[in-house]
Amino acid sequence: TTKCDKDILDTYNKVTEEYFANSSSLYSLGYQVKELIDTATNNIADLFSVKPNEIVYTSSATEANNMAIKGIIFYKNRDKRIITSSKIHSSIKETLKYMGTLGYDIYVLKNDSTGRIDLEDLKNNIESSCLVTIPLVSSEVGILENIEKSNSRCFLHIDATQAVGKISFSINDIDMLSLSAHKLFGIKNSGLLIKKEKVNLIPLIHGGMSTTIYRSGTADQASIACMAKTLRKSLENIDEKYEYVKNLKEDLIKFFSNYENILLNSLEHTSPYILNLSFLGIKIESFIHKMEEEEIYLSTKSACSNDKSLSDEVFSLFKDEDRAKTSF
């Protein structure tokens, strides 16, 4: 989670103060708010080369993930099988666990030798499924998946929370994409689901018409304006920022490679923005609190994951409990 950019915070305050009306109202103040929202939405659509009606505003990437999964599954009579990865965020993991209680079959893909999803395994299982839901970049280890879209009628949902603003990628083959502003110096409680026009969903929240038919409720024009500015700023000079962070990560890996009890968990095909290490033989929480004294802040797992000591993501890749218990 990043500190909110002052410029974005100023925009939030300005819009909240000056554009306070309901965008669905018929009087002039409402029209002004609707115009502001439409401008922001058009700007976001241009950034991703999608249509404005393919933008659905949410309170978070967690809500966007829930909307994508439940919305697809509950729409009419679709296949009752969902394909996923062993490296998913808890907002997908817990949603799929709930879908399992309703009789849906959840298939977890194998990993190949690099830790990415096994594309052969995906090809062998995709025809009997209605949805593939995976992260483009995994939260803890930072594995960057190689996305290939087949001609299957199965939909592809990508959790891009750790990728947008950090990794250059194409959205052409992606049916739905989730993201969150608070990873990008934006405000909290501000997320987005890009849903291609051909994709039909059942809404999570029913009510009147808002910015789309897919999520009811009075539109939050301040968050929407800030989302547009957040995404524009995060996508500026993305390749230059990528190279800068990549060099930092390479320096860290070189430094830590001098210690035999330190294992590198972020191998090839990983985002430079995430480095996962295991410090064998130490109490990881004590180490993290010691680093806080130096104003260096580390995580043992994704902040939203459950409180057990073992990292599911590291264990899924290396099948080593000691490694998974001492990772950060």
Side-chain angles (χ1 to χ4, degrees), residues 56 67-68 71-72 75 78 176 193 195 199-203 214:
V56 183
M67 180 186 293
I72 278 284
Y75 187 85
R78 287 185 168 143
M176 295 179 289
L193 178 69
K195 180 204 71 66
V199 180
N200 291 310
L201 300 178
I202 293 291
Y214 297 101

Side-chain angles (χ1 to χ4, degrees), residues 13-251:
N13 291 333
K14 180 179 173 64
V15 173
T16 300
E17 186 174 356
E18 297 181 12
Y19 295 85
F20 56 84
N22 188 327
S23 61
S24 298
S25 298
L26 297 179
Y27 43 74
S28 59
L29 291 179
Y31 281 125
Q32 290 171 18
V33 173
K34 185 178 185 308
E35 195 172 279
L36 177 81
I37 290 173
D38 288 347
T39 299
T41 303
N42 286 328
N43 290 340
I44 293 170
D46 288 343
L47 289 172
F48 289 98
S49 299
V50 298
K51 299 175 182 178
N53 66 350
E54 295 177 328
I55 306 290
V56 183
Y57 297 107
T58 66
S59 64
S60 60
T62 291
E63 184 190 335
N65 287 338
N66 272 262
M67 180 186 293
I69 296 167
K70 294 172 183 173
I72 278 284
I73 300 303
F74 292 151
Y75 187 85
K76 295 185 178 176
N77 298 315
R78 287 185 168 143
D79 293 331
K80 296 179 80 72
R81 193 170 205 230
I82 309 165
I83 294 176
T84 191
S85 153
S86 62
K87 303 177 290 292
I88 50 178
H89 185 265
S90 60
S91 61
I92 294 180
K93 184 182 296 181
E94 294 303 316
T95 303
L96 295 180
K97 192 183 293 183
Y98 167 69
M99 300 308 293
T101 67
L102 301 181
Y104 290 89
D105 176 28
I106 313 301
Y107 182 77
V108 180
L109 292 164
K110 299 170 186 169
N111 297 317
D112 66 16
S113 59
T114 69
R116 287 168 152 180
I117 59 172
D118 187 321
L119 293 179
E120 279 302 311
D121 191 25
L122 176 58
K123 289 173 186 174
N124 292 337
N125 287 279
I126 198 167
E127 290 306 323
S128 60
S129 305
C130 64
L131 177 68
V132 175
T133 175
I134 54 174
L136 184 56
V137 173
S138 67
S139 295
E140 294 179 30
V141 175
I143 289 177
L144 176 61
E145 299 290 3
N146 179 24
I147 302 300
E148 285 186 12
K149 182 74 164 67
S150 70
N151 293 322
S152 166
R153 60 193 178 89
C154 184
F155 293 103
L156 175 60
H157 166 243
I158 295 294
D159 179 355
T161 311
Q162 298 286 2
V164 171
K166 300 177 174 69
I167 309 289
S168 294
F169 63 95
S170 170
I171 196 173
N172 290 344
D173 292 334
I174 298 171
D175 297 309
M176 295 179 289
L177 180 140
S178 307
L179 62 89
S180 180
H182 76 96
K183 303 287 187 186
L184 305 168
F185 304 96
I187 62 170
K188 290 185 177 70
N189 295 323
S190 181
L192 194 69
L193 178 69
I194 297 175
K195 180 204 71 66
K196 295 292 181 65
E197 204 169 33
K198 66 180 180 179
V199 180
N200 291 310
L201 300 178
I202 293 291
L204 283 183
I205 301 171
H206 293 84
M209 174 69 176
S210 185
T211 58
T212 72
I213 62 171
Y214 297 101
R215 187 183 191 269
S216 295
T218 304
D220 181 355
Q221 51 265 31
S223 290
I224 291 170
C226 287
M227 177 64 86
K229 180 172 277 192
T230 297
L231 290 170
R232 177 179 58 78
K233 293 183 81 166
S234 70
L235 293 170
E236 288 173 349
N237 306 317
I238 189 170
D239 293 332
E240 183 182 322
K241 289 183 283 191
Y242 182 96
E243 286 301 315
Y244 171 72
V245 177
K246 180 167 167 276
N247 289 332
L248 290 179
K249 182 175 178 178
E250 287 172 354
D251 287 346

Side-chain angles (χ1 to χ4, degrees), residues 244-261:
Y244 171 72
V245 177
K246 180 167 167 276
N247 289 332
L248 290 179
K249 182 175 178 178
E250 287 172 354
D251 287 346
L252 283 169
I253 290 173
K254 186 176 179 182
F255 172 78
F256 285 119
S257 66
N258 294 314
Y259 300 88
E260 61 181 23
N261 285 341

